[in-house]
Amino acid sequence: QVQVVESGGGLVQPGGSLRLSCAASGMIGSINAMGWYRQAPGKQRELVATIRGGSSTNYGDSVKGRFTISRDNAKNTVYLQMSSLKPEDTAVYFCNVAGEYMWRPYSSWGQGTQVTVSS
């Protein structure tokens, strides 16, 4: 079983910055991708950013140019640096870890961390 724990959420003013962290532990095996998704009240969960290997990244259109995803492979940790935050970025942010353990694929989610952008 893979445990995924997010941290770093909170309240920030519009235009501000915040950094989220997500650490994976347990029966990790080989991690193929790590990513961030978010869900606002009444909306579907949407892609924020993913990273494969150490440098192949993909971003949702609404965060391109403002958010940066990075990964520390040695720590099985992924980060999301969020800048120029807008009220519409308010959501619960979830971390996803996808990989293989003993040749069996898995996709594990964290519990989520709340990000609120408000003055």
Side-chain angles (χ1 to χ4, degrees):
Q1 194 170 7
V2 177
Q3 291 79 45
V4 179
V5 179
E6 304 103 333
S7 61
L11 173 65
V12 63
Q13 292 187 341
S17 299
L18 207 58
R19 189 194 196 205
L20 305 182
S21 299
C22 166
S25 62
M27 297 185 285
I28 297 173
S30 175
I31 295 177
N32 296 325
M34 304 181 80
W36 291 95
Y37 297 76
R38 67 186 182 186
Q39 188 166 17
K43 295 187 177 181
Q44 289 187 334
R45 190 171 295 189
E46 65 173 358
L47 167 72
V48 177
T50 60
I51 185 166
R52 291 183 177 272
S55 59
S56 178
T57 59
N58 182 44
Y59 293 91
D61 289 340
S62 61
V63 306
K64 286 180 180 177
R66 300 188 298 122
F67 292 10
T68 301
I69 190 170
S70 61
R71 176 176 166 181
D72 186 333
N73 290 332
K75 297 181 179 179
N76 296 317
T77 298
V78 64
Y79 306 96
L80 184 69
Q81 179 66 48
M82 304 184 293
S83 302
S84 302
L85 282 161
K86 305 175 181 179
E88 50 264 43
D89 293 317
T90 296
V92 178
Y93 283 68
F94 296 91
C95 179
N96 177 265
V97 179
E100 291 184 355
Y101 181 80
M102 297 294 284
W103 303 282
R104 293 181 178 181
Y106 65 83
S107 178
S108 297
W109 292 89
Q111 293 298 308
T113 184
Q114 176 71 47
V115 172
T116 302
V117 184
S118 175
S119 55

